[in-house]
Amino acid sequence: MAERVGVYVCHCGSNIAGVVDVAEITRWAGTLEDVVVSREYKFLCSSLGQAMIADDIRGERLTRIVVAACSPHLHEKTFRRACANAGLNPFLLQMANIREHVSWVTKEKQTATDKVKALVAGAVARVKRHCPLEPMPVKVNPHTLVLGGGIAGIQAALELGDAGYPVYLVEREPSIGGHMAQYDKTFPTLDCAACILTPKMSEVGQHENIKLLTYSELEEVSGSIGNFKVRIRRKARYVREDVCTGCGLCIEKCPRKVVDEVFEAGMGYRKAIYTPFPQAVPKIPVIDRGSCIWFERGKCRVCEKLCPPSAIAFDQQDEILELEVGNIILATGWDLFDCRRIPQYGYGRLANVFTSLEFERMCNASGPTGGRIVLRDGVTVPQSVCIVHCVGSRDANYNTYCSGICCMLSLKLGHLVMEKTEAKVYACYIDMRPNKKDYEEFYWRLLDGGMLFVRGKVAEVTDMARLPQEEGKLIVQVEDTLLGKQRRIPVDMVVLMGAIEPRRDARETGLKAGISCSMAGWYIERHVKLDPVATMTEGVFIAGACHGPKDIPDSVAQGAAAAARVQGMITKGTVMIEPVVASISADNCSGCRICNNLCPFNAIDFLTEEKVSKVNPALCKGCGTCVAACPAGAITGAHFSNDQVGAEIEGLLWDAHGDGQPAMAEDALTLELAVS
Amino acid sequence: MQREIYEPKIIGFFCNWCSYRAADGAGTARIKHSPNVRVIRLMCSGRVDPVFVLKALSLGADGVLIAGCHPGECHYIEQNYKTMRRFALLKHTLRAFGISERRVRLVWASAAEASQLTEAINELVEDIRTLGPLRWPANWAEDDGHLPAVDRILLEHQSAMEIGR
Amino acid sequence: MSDKGRLAIYWAASCGGCEISILALNEKILDVANAFDIVFCPCIMDTKARDVEKWPDRHIDVCLFNGGIRTSEQEYMARLLRQKSKVLVAFGSCACEGCIPGLANLTRRQEIFETVYFETASTENAGRVIPLPETLSNGFHLVLPVFYDTVRTLGQTVAVDYYLPGCPPEAPRIWDAVVAILEGKLPAPGSVIGAETTCCDECPRTRGEKKIKAFKRTWQIIPDADTCLLEQGLLCCGPVTRAGCGARCPEVNSPCIGCYGPNVGVEDFGARMIAALASVIDSNDPDEIDRIIREGIPDPVGTFYRFSLANSLMRRGALVPDAERLELPRPKIAAQA
């Protein structure tokens, strides 16, 4: 029985109708084979437009629908729903993109109209080969994995835990807290970072629904939304967590001191057995194998001897956990730009050039200098400090993006210097970007407070004095673009606002979870404007700086948003998986196994008994690569079959069959010889 | 003979996540470009079966454009590498058929690279315009002599010596 | 007049191997003879085309037509036999998909004639004589069939009822088809009478992960007898080729060359070969991939379309390759032919 196709051409106001001859398209579409209804409408996505389609489905007994309008990314769901509401399977719809791909990008009207004809012909030919498909329900495991124990991860874990759902919070470092734990104060309120962070950290540590797995790494993820299997490696702390009281005696007595490159940003020391900072959660220390004397040369074990509950266990092994979760939230944070990459700023060569993180540690009351702002000699208080903006940001040579927080950071650090010392503070900026709530006011406060702002990108920081007053100083060479002059500003200390960069292993982590990174290395969200915490992979969410440079309020908001999305799914209980999956016909499969290696989601199994391959529809993400690869043509891709795409190609080339048409076999078939 | 500019007809296979979105992005940004590429949306460039390209060319397309995510950024992790390998073999084969590799192109475009994609489209269209139409079905259209030749054989048999039964 | 069925066997552009394959039925040929009278078979009988023309339409019960269509005579006979047969079977690879004669679709009549009649080393043809469709000689009007540029399959010329693939179809498969015809248990008209899976299904070798860094020619390695040949780098078309032959070639260490054509539902054999080989190439580096292809597959059309060129989507090589066309001046006008 022939299909009954309805074609609907949208004006989209004048967006389409202003360029494409919609009336002509509607008329022409009506002449195509099996098209029984062809209508035009001003705004098909409106409720009236959708009602028109639904009425026709019922009244004209339509079996297939073509909507020629905007991009399917915008309204495919809308029109699918309209079909479903009218009793037609939502997959019996095809959209032709005649706005983004034609009317908005084509100058000449006749050319645009001709192109629309081809696209409509392609859609009509394709839709006739569509098959009804049913989404598959999948149960959602109420456990969630939150990867990353910074402020975003902490927020997400707390929201889920408070809602009553079990969470695994996995953190690579021995303690949660992330970068925020390194700060002294936070802008613009100048709240003490530890004061606002540690209550949340304790809450996490004590929460009945949050299983805290610190000093742990994500190794592997398999499965799909609702049913992920994750493998976590709990690295050996060499301290028994069930016994340790966190008294800290071991740390006090440990004879080996090393530079703390992580938490102290290389500014201070820690012991071989350590907790990163005093308020660490959990309080249980960790023995760093690389610096412990026992692991190095078999001596010492002082910590073990002195530990009152005998919690030290040198024989501890890494533990592998296989967890089952329904959703994953990545909140893995950021790394600081390596300022040595800009040699003209002198970091690493000139002693008194500091990075922002180093400076934060210096300001922190429990940091290596006890909160005193001093030069590298540990004694001298600077008389003048210059803060350099945009180090590795907004720079074609390094990162083109703006790191978003450094202007505010500079104001905060400037304030700290002026509060703790008498020093003159300069900030050399390209633009000042205090763009959120109370940020501009904070800038005015510093302006009024006497912080000196120079609009110019610093060219160089040098110790080569040219004039007597420059001797023994660091000279900041900058073009002051407001004055229109080159300036050499002699200062005692320079602080570089390094760019916020993705974690060095972000791409690897993303691949494990099945999401990808942009060229810059940030995780890609589902939609830049309207869906920033979801990713293209169902069940995997991103929150915080790993999505892109952002400040603490935004990281908290995203952590909460991701948690809310996950909660929504858990309360619903089941999730519908799009039925656009591959399937292998066992009769046609010869067991050549060429497809077995092609699936990054391990959705293809080889059945050794039957000697054929099989696709697991729960794992299949519908990319179609195996469909295109099967030598026997035994794999079908639902909704993107060879039949359907082949028909679309034929339709699109409706006007290319013209000249050069051979005498087709069909003509030959009817040619009878006049034999006698 | 009318003097018209020859307009190539090119079929495009764009992946749902990157290149199709880039083409949409070109629309949103109103970047005017050559209208000659008729786009088919697939979920991944890895879905591009060589049979699609051959079908397009054999039905009269003058060229084919395959667009996918940059290597390392595929929404399905690594499927665009398979596209790359298939494309290399396909080009090798098309060359042996006498079809210039300039007619079939593989480009990478992320969702944000609308202007790069439109530039690639414009370039491809102009290149194929220089190459001229492919009109593949004309390759096997015989010249007019062949049906009369078939009819003539019947006459030949009729006028030859009859062989009795 | 007997009440046996009437069987015709015709050969167009072919090698004669299909007739031999029918003989390979061995003693079962007697069963065929019991069921059918052979009414037309130029290979073994003297029945003339003129006789066939005089029969009523659909006089022949089954016509096994092997060979491709490359001259007007072959086209004529295809049309004649279609008209005079109830069931027309495209028998063997030549009729189904062009087979080896189909490889001439990479060239054209002019080039073939020039090679054959002028350029071969032992030819002396000072007069540059080539065959012509008609000529006058001693007052007589002489005609020869027209030699086409393009080899076509039987299915591209007339409506075919069934296809029996293979070069040649193996005797057991011929027997299966005969039985199906006699018992009336035939698939839908236009179908292939054959398996619906590929050669790997019949191949006894073990198959595992395939990761190829270099394709090998058959003379380059002595393959291991138990492992998949493709895994060892040989260009085996088994994964693409329809089953039916019993994987005879892989059993003797020879990679399958694809003579049974593509699997059910597959339009283009070469496209599947391209897809299969691309999946096993073990590299993500464009330069390395190009090198593996260039060195391992010097003749892609000969390898991927050895039997199926005439029936492929492209059907033939370009009459005027782009490379030549680029040397011609190209004005920007809507080109006529």
Side-chain angles (χ1 to χ4, degrees):
Chain A
M1 215 186 50
E3 301 299 341
R4 295 174 63 79
V5 183
V7 176
Y8 298 88
V9 189
C10 192
H11 286 228
C12 195
S14 64
N15 280 312
I16 295 175
V19 178
V20 175
D21 186 347
V22 178
E24 165 59 14
I25 298 294
T26 313
R27 179 208 65 77
W28 177 84
T31 66
L32 296 175
E33 199 181 338
D34 297 325
V35 174
V36 299
V37 168
S38 181
R39 293 197 210 284
E40 52 181 290
Y41 197 70
K42 272 228 150 20
F43 291 104
L44 276 171
C45 56
S46 66
S47 34
L48 286 176
Q50 291 184 56
M52 178 176 81
I53 298 175
D55 286 342
D56 278 347
I57 290 175
R58 286 184 282 253
E60 300 283 343
R61 294 169 294 117
L62 298 178
T63 59
R64 300 283 188 276
I65 303 289
V66 167
V67 172
C70 54
S71 169
H73 277 135
L74 277 149
H75 278 307
E76 186 171 60
K77 278 205 165 72
T78 313
F79 293 113
R80 276 188 180 168
R81 219 177 307 123
C83 288
N85 290 339
L88 185 69
N89 186 288
F91 288 88
L92 299 178
L93 163 87
Q94 177 71 3
M95 284 189 75
N97 184 336
I98 66 171
R99 189 183 70 172
E100 278 83 341
H101 287 190
V102 186
S103 70
W104 273 351
V105 294
T106 310
K107 284 186 273 229
E108 213 268 307
K109 292 190 179 192
Q110 187 56 51
T111 317
T113 307
D114 288 340
K115 184 168 180 182
V116 170
K117 282 188 176 167
L119 294 176
V120 169
V124 170
R126 190 198 209 281
V127 83
K128 291 195 274 192
R129 311 289 181 111
H130 280 200
C131 300
L133 297 170
E134 297 299 332
M136 306 175 296
V138 157
K139 279 186 104 52
V140 178
N141 184 322
H143 291 76
T144 307
L145 170 70
V146 176
L147 187 68
I151 187 62
I154 288 172
Q155 186 67 26
L158 284 173
E159 300 257 352
L160 283 165
D162 286 346
Y165 299 118
V167 182
Y168 297 108
L169 179 56
V170 172
E171 164 58 49
R172 152 184 299 175
E173 295 301 323
S175 166
I176 55 174
H179 283 297
M180 191 174 167
Q182 293 174 292
Y183 305 158
D184 178 37
K185 302 266 194 305
T186 57
F187 54 77
T189 50
L190 297 173
D191 276 304
C192 154
C195 304
I196 57 177
L197 178 62
T198 45
K200 283 198 192 272
M201 284 169 58
S202 316
E203 228 187 299
V204 167
Q206 293 162 3
H207 208 293
E208 57 173 356
N209 288 328
I210 302 177
K211 178 112 172 72
L212 188 52
L213 300 167
T214 55
Y215 209 49
S216 303
E217 297 269 1
L218 173 69
E219 294 222 313
E220 201 188 341
V221 177
S222 60
S224 59
I225 184 187
N227 295 289
F228 288 107
K229 283 193 173 49
V230 297
R231 191 165 71 221
I232 306 291
R233 173 182 295 271
R234 300 199 66 189
K235 299 187 292 205
R237 291 178 112 97
Y238 306 108
V239 176
R240 289 179 49 203
E241 296 182 46
D242 49 343
V243 166
C244 170
T245 58
C247 68
L249 190 57
C250 51
I251 301 173
E252 210 187 300
K253 299 299 183 187
C254 174
R256 170 55 73 82
K257 219 191 216 185
V258 290
V259 173
D260 183 348
E261 298 285 2
V262 180
F263 190 79
E264 297 288 10
M267 292 287 282
Y269 295 101
R270 62 162 170 82
K271 298 294 183 71
I273 183 168
Y274 72 105
T275 55
F277 51 97
Q279 306 93 332
V281 169
K283 260 175 112 52
I284 300 154
V286 144
I287 297 181
D288 168 27
R289 271 188 87 111
S291 34
C292 169
I293 296 173
W294 168 252
F295 284 111
E296 204 177 283
R297 49 196 160 92
K299 291 200 152 67
C300 186
R301 292 174 83 128
V302 167
C303 49
E304 188 185 37
K305 295 186 187 112
L306 296 175
C307 175
S310 303
I312 308 290
F314 281 101
D315 58 349
Q316 219 178 55
Q317 301 290 324
D318 289 356
E319 193 190 337
I320 304 289
L321 294 176
E322 305 274 357
L323 304 173
E324 287 178 14
V325 298
N327 290 278
I328 299 174
I329 300 176
L330 298 179
T332 47
W334 54 274
D335 275 334
L336 189 65
F337 175 78
D338 179 0
C339 296
R340 280 172 298 203
R341 291 172 63 190
I342 308 186
Q344 57 268 36
Y345 286 170
Y347 176 70
R349 175 173 48 92
L350 300 171
N352 290 309
V353 176
F354 294 82
T355 66
S356 50
L357 272 179
E358 285 178 340
F359 197 76
E360 288 277 3
R361 291 312 303 153
M362 192 160 34
C363 294
N364 192 304
S366 49
T369 63
R372 290 179 307 120
I373 295 175
V374 287
L375 299 180
R376 293 271 187 196
D377 61 9
V379 171
T380 322
V381 178
Q383 305 282 305
S384 51
V385 177
C386 182
I387 302 175
V388 179
H389 289 220
C390 306
V391 175
S393 305
R394 304 187 66 189
D395 190 329
N397 298 308
Y398 305 102
N399 297 301
T400 50
Y401 55 81
C402 166
S403 290
I405 59 166
C406 322
C407 284
M408 290 311 296
L409 184 58
S410 152
L411 294 175
K412 177 185 87 174
L413 295 180
H415 183 272
L416 283 168
V417 174
M418 294 197 310
E419 189 184 49
K420 298 190 179 194
T421 70
E422 303 286 320
K424 241 181 170 156
V425 183
Y426 298 89
C428 296
Y429 68 96
I430 305 176
D431 291 287
M432 281 308 290
R433 294 186 159 176
N435 60 350
K436 303 236 176 77
K437 198 165 177 182
D438 297 332
Y439 285 9
E440 182 74 13
E441 291 85 335
F442 191 62
Y443 173 41
W444 289 18
R445 185 172 159 186
L446 270 306
L447 269 173
D448 291 341
M451 188 161 159
L452 299 160
F453 291 91
V454 177
R455 193 182 84 175
K457 186 175 160 95
V458 170
E460 188 188 22
V461 174
T462 177
D463 59 353
M464 298 199 25
R466 286 192 204 157
L467 300 167
Q469 61 260 43
E470 293 180 355
E471 290 292 342
K473 298 275 197 201
L474 288 174
I475 300 105
V476 175
Q477 169 91 34
V478 59
E479 179 191 355
D480 188 332
T481 57
L482 289 173
L483 285 180
K485 282 183 154 50
Q486 285 284 339
R487 289 176 69 169
R488 288 173 64 89
I489 308 176
V491 293
D492 293 321
M493 177 191 271
V494 169
V495 185
L496 303 176
M497 298 291 103
I500 305 294
E501 289 188 328
R503 289 277 182 199
R504 304 276 177 262
D505 61 347
R507 214 170 273 274
E508 228 180 280
T509 311
L511 284 176
K512 283 182 192 160
I515 66 171
S516 29
C517 297
S518 65
M519 291 299 278
W522 306 109
Y523 290 134
I524 299 183
E525 63 275 85
R526 186 170 270 253
H527 192 278
V528 174
K529 294 297 244 184
L530 299 179
D531 211 349
V533 294
T535 63
M536 312 288 202
T537 304
E538 299 275 356
V540 178
F541 300 90
I542 51 180
C546 62
H547 157 263
K550 58 178 59 60
D551 56 11
I552 292 168
D554 284 350
S555 298
V556 169
Q558 282 202 340
R565 295 290 287 273
V566 170
Q567 271 189 60
M569 276 191 279
I570 298 175
T571 45
K572 195 144 180 238
T574 49
V575 140
M576 300 303 269
I577 300 207
E578 277 254 311
V580 177
V581 293
S583 58
I584 302 181
S585 156
D587 287 335
N588 298 137
C589 173
S590 65
C592 74
R593 305 194 65 174
I594 284 179
C595 59
N596 290 181
N597 280 349
L598 298 176
C599 186
F601 308 103
N602 295 318
I604 305 181
D605 298 310
F606 181 67
L607 309 176
T608 37
E609 283 288 307
E610 296 88 325
K611 291 208 175 55
V612 293
S613 298
K614 193 168 150 83
V615 173
N616 179 347
L619 296 180
C620 175
K621 304 231 191 276
C623 73
T625 302
C626 61
V627 182
C630 178
I635 311 184
T636 320
H639 210 60
F640 288 91
S641 69
N642 274 13
D643 221 24
Q644 289 156 354
V645 178
E648 196 174 355
I649 296 173
E650 272 182 53
L652 286 177
L653 290 170
W654 77 284
D655 56 346
H657 304 326
D659 42 21
Q661 195 53 331
M664 295 299 285
E666 289 86 80
D667 301 339
L669 299 183
T670 56
L671 198 80
E672 284 225 331
L673 300 171
V675 289
S676 62
Chain B
M1 196 161 69
Q2 260 183 300
R3 278 201 90 81
E4 273 172 34
I5 305 280
Y6 152 60
E7 290 296 344
K9 294 184 180 73
I10 301 168
I11 299 291
F13 296 99
F14 287 17
C15 78
N16 183 60
W17 306 101
C18 286
S19 45
Y20 194 91
R21 278 180 198 263
D24 280 354
T28 314
R30 313 291 196 276
I31 304 176
K32 304 281 185 272
H33 59 272
S34 301
N36 308 60
V37 177
R38 302 169 182 186
V39 174
I40 291 180
R41 178 175 153 229
L42 298 171
M43 294 313 282
C44 180
S45 59
R47 177 69 189 91
V48 179
D49 193 316
V51 87
F52 295 164
V53 178
L54 296 170
K55 194 168 206 138
L57 294 172
S58 67
L59 284 175
D62 299 307
V64 172
L65 175 62
I66 305 169
C69 308
H70 286 272
E73 294 190 2
C74 178
H75 173 59
Y76 303 97
I77 317 295
E78 53 184 36
Q79 307 307 65
N80 46 6
Y81 289 114
K82 286 124 190 173
T83 317
M84 199 164 74
R85 290 183 239 151
R86 246 178 246 153
F87 183 70
L89 256 172
L90 186 62
K91 258 200 313 184
H92 185 62
T93 311
L94 288 174
R95 211 177 299 134
F97 273 112
I99 297 175
S100 164
E101 58 183 72
R102 284 156 58 188
R103 291 190 186 271
V104 186
R105 218 164 283 195
L106 176 62
V107 301
W108 308 124
S110 81
E113 292 179 315
S115 46
Q116 283 90 325
L117 181 63
T118 52
E119 259 175 57
I121 290 174
N122 289 336
E123 213 186 285
L124 176 65
V125 172
E126 290 318 306
D127 207 10
I128 295 185
R129 213 193 289 278
T130 324
L131 280 170
L134 185 61
R135 282 212 257 99
W136 194 257
N139 276 304
W140 63 72
E142 298 288 345
D143 57 23
D144 299 305
H146 99 98
L147 280 175
V150 170
D151 289 334
R152 199 175 50 214
I153 291 174
L154 172 60
L155 296 169
E156 191 197 322
H157 289 177
Q158 285 172 338
S159 65
M161 220 163 69
E162 289 284 334
I163 297 172
R165 271 214 141 249
Chain C
M1 244 358 186
S2 79
D3 56 357
K4 291 203 230 170
R6 298 188 196 94
L7 179 65
I9 305 172
Y10 187 69
W11 52 7
S14 64
C15 69
C18 285
E19 280 73 15
I20 296 173
S21 196
I22 292 175
L23 288 180
L25 284 170
N26 294 331
E27 69 281 2
K28 290 197 170 64
I29 197 90
L30 299 171
D31 293 315
V32 176
N34 277 341
F36 291 101
D37 276 330
I38 301 179
V39 295
F40 181 64
C41 180
C43 177
I44 55 172
M45 297 163 60
D46 201 28
T47 327
K48 302 290 190 216
R50 192 75 192 114
D51 298 324
V52 178
E53 283 164 12
K54 289 181 180 169
W55 291 337
D57 285 356
R58 297 167 62 82
H59 180 80
I60 302 168
D61 290 300
V62 180
C63 177
L64 302 176
F65 191 113
N66 71 77
I69 311 295
R70 90 147 313 137
T71 68
S72 53
E73 177 186 9
Q74 288 155 357
E75 184 173 352
Y76 174 79
M77 290 307 296
R79 292 179 193 281
L80 179 67
L81 288 167
R82 168 71 278 179
Q83 205 175 317
K84 303 296 179 185
S85 304
K86 290 198 188 72
V87 174
L88 180 64
V89 178
F91 188 93
S93 179
C94 287
C96 291
E97 36 176 30
C99 197
I100 303 299
L103 285 174
N105 279 355
L106 283 173
T107 178
R108 46 196 306 192
R109 172 182 58 240
Q110 184 170 352
E111 276 166 29
I112 294 174
F113 280 15
E114 283 175 10
T115 306
V116 170
Y117 296 109
F118 303 156
E119 289 163 17
T120 46
S122 55
T123 302
E124 282 193 18
N125 188 353
R128 294 186 76 80
V129 178
I130 57 166
L132 294 173
E134 44 191 320
T135 189
L136 273 175
S137 178
N138 291 342
F140 288 100
H141 179 235
L142 303 176
V143 290
L144 282 176
V146 172
F147 189 97
Y148 299 155
D149 274 323
T150 303
V151 175
R152 285 173 193 253
T153 67
L154 187 63
Q156 286 164 357
T157 312
V158 293
V160 169
D161 294 305
Y162 298 105
Y163 296 85
L164 203 56
C167 178
E170 291 294 319
R173 303 285 84 76
I174 300 174
W175 179 245
D176 289 343
V178 168
V179 167
I181 290 171
L182 290 174
E183 293 183 352
K185 293 199 178 128
L186 288 162
S191 313
V192 171
I193 302 179
E196 296 194 338
T197 182
T198 62
C199 205
C200 296
D201 193 62
E202 300 179 314
C203 179
R205 291 170 183 264
T206 44
R207 292 179 280 286
E209 210 181 44
K210 296 177 208 340
K211 285 186 148 153
I212 311 294
K213 280 281 188 198
F215 291 111
K216 308 266 174 26
R217 308 291 298 281
T218 46
W219 46 263
Q220 277 178 297
I221 60 164
I222 295 180
D224 166 78
D226 301 310
T227 323
C228 168
L229 291 172
L230 181 58
E231 251 163 75
Q232 299 179 59
L234 293 171
L235 288 167
C236 182
C237 299
V240 181
T241 311
R242 192 186 291 258
C245 58
R248 312 184 72 167
C249 298
E251 270 177 9
V252 295
N253 269 359
S254 190
C256 168
I257 50 175
C259 77
Y260 256 69
N263 197 13
V264 62
V266 172
E267 275 183 287
D268 188 294
F269 189 96
R272 305 266 49 78
M273 276 306 291
I274 291 172
L277 294 183
S279 304
V280 307
I281 292 176
D282 183 23
S283 173
N284 285 336
D285 171 44
D287 291 326
E288 192 184 1
I289 294 169
D290 276 334
R291 187 184 50 75
I292 294 174
I293 292 171
R294 221 178 339 117
E295 288 174 6
I297 310 173
D299 176 15
V301 177
T303 311
F304 301 155
Y305 292 102
R306 189 184 270 108
F307 293 88
S308 61
L309 182 58
N311 204 34
S312 67
L313 283 168
M314 304 306 268
R315 295 210 204 177
R316 59 158 302 123
L319 287 173
V320 182
D322 272 336
E324 275 178 44
R325 186 203 288 247
L326 286 173
E327 276 143 27
L328 304 170
R330 301 283 331 158
K332 277 192 182 169
I333 50 171
Q336 307 295 293

